[in-house]
Amino acid sequence: MPAAAATVEVVVDGADPGTSVSVALCQGGLSEEACSLGQELTARGGTVNVVFRDVPAGRYAVAAFEDVNGNRKLDRTGLGLPIEPYGFSGGVGLKARPTFAQAAFDLREPGTALRVGLARALPRR
């Protein structure tokens, strides 16, 4: 039997209109290597809508960040704290980086829809 495939629809809230938002689908962890399937879109009205199609069923998490300065990476302080707004699936807070298990969801056919809210770990500079 062929592997089941599904659609993941993600709405990211909290971005400044006109900024770039990166949204990644992660499997097995939240590292850059585990989050290899991603899209980058421009926020309209503070929201970005992303659709990942033909995703094999499994356990995933979503990681997103607002690329305020347009350098295509999540900027951090010297201590590793994110400077730009970011968020994860699972409704996890931003007091600390969540584990994959905290942010994960099970994907089955035909798919799922979820929301990710962006927040800042540190005040604007």
Side-chain angles (χ1 to χ4, degrees):
M1 259 178 99
T7 299
V8 180
E9 297 180 35
V10 183
V11 175
V12 180
D13 296 313
D16 289 334
T19 59
S20 178
V21 176
S22 291
V23 183
L25 195 56
C26 310
Q27 190 170 31
L30 296 175
S31 68
E32 193 172 327
E33 297 79 30
C35 300
S36 59
L37 183 60
Q39 295 184 34
E40 194 175 315
L41 296 135
T42 301
R44 306 269 184 243
T47 301
V48 168
N49 298 304
V50 177
V51 178
F52 296 97
R53 298 186 192 287
D54 300 320
V55 179
R59 192 152 176 81
Y60 294 89
V62 172
F65 76 93
E66 181 181 0
D67 189 7
V68 175
N69 62 4
N71 67 353
R72 304 183 84 182
K73 67 178 187 172
L74 177 61
D75 293 320
R76 300 175 182 275
T77 66
L79 296 174
L81 297 172
I83 296 170
E84 297 172 306
Y86 69 104
F88 297 95
S89 54
V92 295
L94 297 179
K95 293 181 181 187
R97 182 181 175 124
T99 65
F100 178 76
Q102 291 171 318
F105 60 93
D106 290 316
L107 178 62
R108 296 181 181 91
E109 286 185 305
T112 191
L114 51 101
R115 291 185 98 79
V116 173
L118 297 179
R120 289 181 177 272
L122 300 170
R124 288 183 191 262
R125 290 182 170 195

